[in-house]
């Protein structure tokens, strides 16, 4: 960078008294921390700093002072004035402040990130400084944890996820559970304060994958979610519900047909839509129930019939008046997808709705012993599991198929 000139002390001080943002005020691009060599001249006094964290726009390249840089420059300038010197040169001395989190564990991080990246220091939740210091890892570290059933790793978007260790005592769902991100270099990032909450063994595994900071963090959903409470991509379960609503809206806008039904009841059920923490009949049943109520009962049969009539006209099949929701959705999907090449098998696509229904009847304990066994077999077979006790496998397959189904319904109803 060239020399930055200030013609008056007050201009200089004003430039050190600015809010640091995470976006460029000139072009709106995202800023990231960039280590820069800067030379600042204030009415004849020169400060030459070889390495200082600046905030640099990824789009237009403009740089802004980070809070860290503001403080360094302020201190240096006052020191120059006090001594009556004309210039000072500063070389990096490799000093790294250590915070009081996971302190004895030897994690490598750069306190200048904490002091430069906007928002990290303004953290009311944690009384000790340094909680939101980014600590960087080789992303391969996660492979170890994904393979270990003691842990739950959930990557819910390209740049955001969470990992938890199951509580062996079974009192809490997790012994610890923390978010992580991936930066634009593909490095895995945790907050130092979160690492502090992990058990020794997990810390030890992560420690082996710990790498030096490359200072990139802001351009990730992990950071954005933490700072601006913008939630990244929701979990699949929520996406399914949101896609169902988009489908209902699309139909309303295109055909003037109202498919929503029992709206308030569905709103209440939505609270139960979440990722189960453990996978057994009991924990899965609440979610299955809620899905069935929202996706099947929450769709008006009258509306579906009227949509069926509109789509099929004179080609409607005999006896359709007696059809229930799932059959109607199937025929509607068939017609909506009729012009589409490589449309997946309709029976398979619609299968998760039947399974929701079967599952719910099974869980309501309305069946005889013999029928229960048949239903268990049917559900596991359809969902590609060996046994009904493989609840986790069945659950994820169900969610995957529901996700596919509602993505199709959204795309085909536009
Ligand atoms: Zn810019």
């Amino acid at each position: 960078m060239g020399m930055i000139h200030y013609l008056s002390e007050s201009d200089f001080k004003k430039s050190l008294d600015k809010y640091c943002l995470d976006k460029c005020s000139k072009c709106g691009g995202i800023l990231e921390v960039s280590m820069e060599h800067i030379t600042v001249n204030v009415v004849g006094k020169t400060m030459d700093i070889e390495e200082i964290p600046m905030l640099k726009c990824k789009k237009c390249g403009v740089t802004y002072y980070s809070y860290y840089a503001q403080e360094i420059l302020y201190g240096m300038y006052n020191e120059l004035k006090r001594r009556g010197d004309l210039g000072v040169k500063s070389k990096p001395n490799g000093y790294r402040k250590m915070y009081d989190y996971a302190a004895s564990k030897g994690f490598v991080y750069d306190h200048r990130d904490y002091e430069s990246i906007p928002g990290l220091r303004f953290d009311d939740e944690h009384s000790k400084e340094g909680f939101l210091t980014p600590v960087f890892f080789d992303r391969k570290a996660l492979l170890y944890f994904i393979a270990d059933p003691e842990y739950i790793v959930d990557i819910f978007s390209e740049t955001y996820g969470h990992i938890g260790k199951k509580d062996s005592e079974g009192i809490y769902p997790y012994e610890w559970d923390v978010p992580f991100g991936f930066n634009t270099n593909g490095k895995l990032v945790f907050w130092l304060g979160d690492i502090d909450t992990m058990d020794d063994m997990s810390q030890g595994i992560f420690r082996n994958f710990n790498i030096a900071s490359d200072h990139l963090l802001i351009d990730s959903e992990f950071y954005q979610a933490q700072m601006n409470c913008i939630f990244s991509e929701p979990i699949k379960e929520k996406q399914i519900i949101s896609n169902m609503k988009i489908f209902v809206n699309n139909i309303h806008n295109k055909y003037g047909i109202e498919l929503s039904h029992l709206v308030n009841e569905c709103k209440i059920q939505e609270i139960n839509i979440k990722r189960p923490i453990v996978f057994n009949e009991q924990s899965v049943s609440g979610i299955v129930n809620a899905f069935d109520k929202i996706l099947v009962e929450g769709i008006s049969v009258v509306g579906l019939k009227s949509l069926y009539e509109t789509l099929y006209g004179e080609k409607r099949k005999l006896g359709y008046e007696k059809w229930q929701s799932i059959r109607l959705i199937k025929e509607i999907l068939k017609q909506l997808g009729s012009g589409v090449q490589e449309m997946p098998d309709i029976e398979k696509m619609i299968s998760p709705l039947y399974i929701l229904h079967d599952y719910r009847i099974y869980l309501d304990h309305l069946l005889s012993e013999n029928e229960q066994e048949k239903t268990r077999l049917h559900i596991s077979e359809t969902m590609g599991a060996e046994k009904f006790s493989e609840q986790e496998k069945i659950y994820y397959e169900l969610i995957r198929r529901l996700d596919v189904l509602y993505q199709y319904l959204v795309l085909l109803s536009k």
Side-chain angles (χ1 to χ4, degrees), residues 239-283:
Q239 280 178 41
I240 292 165
I241 301 298
S242 132
N243 283 337
M244 183 212 82
K245 290 179 184 167
I246 296 170
F247 168 65
V248 166
N249 271 335
N250 285 351
I251 295 299
H252 189 259
N253 294 340
K254 200 163 167 184
Y255 303 100
I257 294 169
E258 187 53 61
L259 291 181
S260 59
H261 182 51
L262 306 172
V263 174
N264 286 324
E265 164 77 359
C266 288
K267 267 189 199 143
I268 295 164
Q269 288 299 331
E270 271 185 49
I271 299 163
N272 297 319
I273 298 290
K274 54 192 162 211
R275 174 93 17 117
I277 288 148
V278 289
F279 292 88
N280 52 41
E281 285 181 30
Q282 208 187 357
S283 62

Side-chain angles (χ1 to χ4, degrees), residues 149-369:
E150 287 287 292
Y151 296 89
I152 289 184
V153 180
D154 203 355
I155 300 170
F156 28 82
S157 81
E158 294 287 309
T159 58
Y160 194 24
H162 84 108
I163 175 170
K165 181 163 198 253
K166 293 178 196 164
D167 180 17
S168 49
E169 313 270 308
I171 303 168
Y172 302 104
Y174 294 108
E175 190 180 318
W176 51 264
D177 180 22
V178 301
F180 60 76
F182 297 109
N183 74 8
T184 46
N185 277 346
K187 289 184 173 157
L188 174 67
V189 192
F190 283 92
W191 301 123
L192 180 62
D194 283 333
I195 293 171
D196 188 56
T197 67
M198 295 176 184
D199 60 288
D200 288 349
M201 202 189 82
S202 308
Q203 284 178 341
I205 297 163
F206 275 118
R207 177 67 190 80
N208 292 330
F209 292 92
N210 190 195
I211 48 179
S213 167
D214 60 7
H215 316 292
L216 302 180
L217 176 70
I218 298 174
D219 193 6
S220 71
E221 286 165 293
F222 171 60
Y223 169 84
Q224 296 296 335
Q226 195 83 35
M227 292 304 121
N228 306 328
C229 297
I230 298 169
F231 233 81
S232 320
E233 214 170 313
I235 55 168
K236 281 277 169 264
E237 286 84 341
K238 302 269 185 205
Q239 280 178 41
I240 292 165
I241 301 298
S242 132
N243 283 337
M244 183 212 82
K245 290 179 184 167
I246 296 170
F247 168 65
V248 166
N249 271 335
N250 285 351
I251 295 299
H252 189 259
N253 294 340
K254 200 163 167 184
Y255 303 100
I257 294 169
E258 187 53 61
L259 291 181
S260 59
H261 182 51
L262 306 172
V263 174
N264 286 324
E265 164 77 359
C266 288
K267 267 189 199 143
I268 295 164
Q269 288 299 331
E270 271 185 49
I271 299 163
N272 297 319
I273 298 290
K274 54 192 162 211
R275 174 93 17 117
I277 288 148
V278 289
F279 292 88
N280 52 41
E281 285 181 30
Q282 208 187 357
S283 62
V284 170
S285 68
I287 300 163
V288 166
N289 239 310
F291 267 125
D292 190 52
K293 288 208 168 105
I294 297 170
L295 299 179
V296 182
E297 288 179 19
I299 297 291
S300 151
V301 182
V302 176
L304 286 172
K305 273 182 198 156
S306 133
L307 179 58
Y308 175 81
E309 288 160 1
T310 306
L311 290 175
Y312 281 86
E314 292 308 307
K315 291 185 290 172
R316 60 187 87 154
K317 288 181 190 157
L318 271 178
Y320 78 93
E321 297 94 337
K322 292 198 193 92
W323 289 350
Q324 297 295 302
S325 337
I326 304 178
R327 176 69 196 273
L328 286 163
I329 295 171
K330 185 175 107 180
E331 299 296 331
I332 288 163
L333 178 63
K334 202 187 270 174
Q335 185 60 25
L336 288 174
S338 59
V340 180
Q341 283 192 341
E342 293 174 48
M343 185 71 184
D345 177 46
I346 300 275
E347 289 297 336
K348 194 166 180 189
M349 285 188 84
I350 210 76
S351 66
L353 292 181
Y354 283 115
I355 292 295
L356 279 182
H357 192 66
D358 293 343
Y359 209 133
R360 186 165 160 215
I361 288 171
Y362 167 77
L363 290 163
D364 282 346
H365 303 289
L366 299 171
L367 303 172
S368 70
E369 196 75 11

Side-chain angles (χ1 to χ4, degrees), residues 57-106:
C57 176
K58 290 182 71 168
K59 222 162 127 188
C60 74
V62 165
T63 56
Y64 302 86
Y65 293 133
S66 62
Y67 285 122
Y68 181 90
Q70 289 177 355
E71 277 166 22
I72 293 283
L73 284 167
Y74 190 85
M76 251 183 196
Y77 180 74
N78 285 343
E79 185 63 15
L80 273 181
K81 256 176 64 173
R82 196 180 63 77
R83 292 190 188 179
D85 288 347
L86 280 180
V88 61
K89 274 192 179 206
S90 155
K91 287 191 177 298
N93 61 5
Y95 167 71
R96 297 289 177 270
K97 199 189 280 180
M98 302 307 279
Y99 297 113
D100 195 16
Y101 291 100
S104 59
K105 305 296 165 61

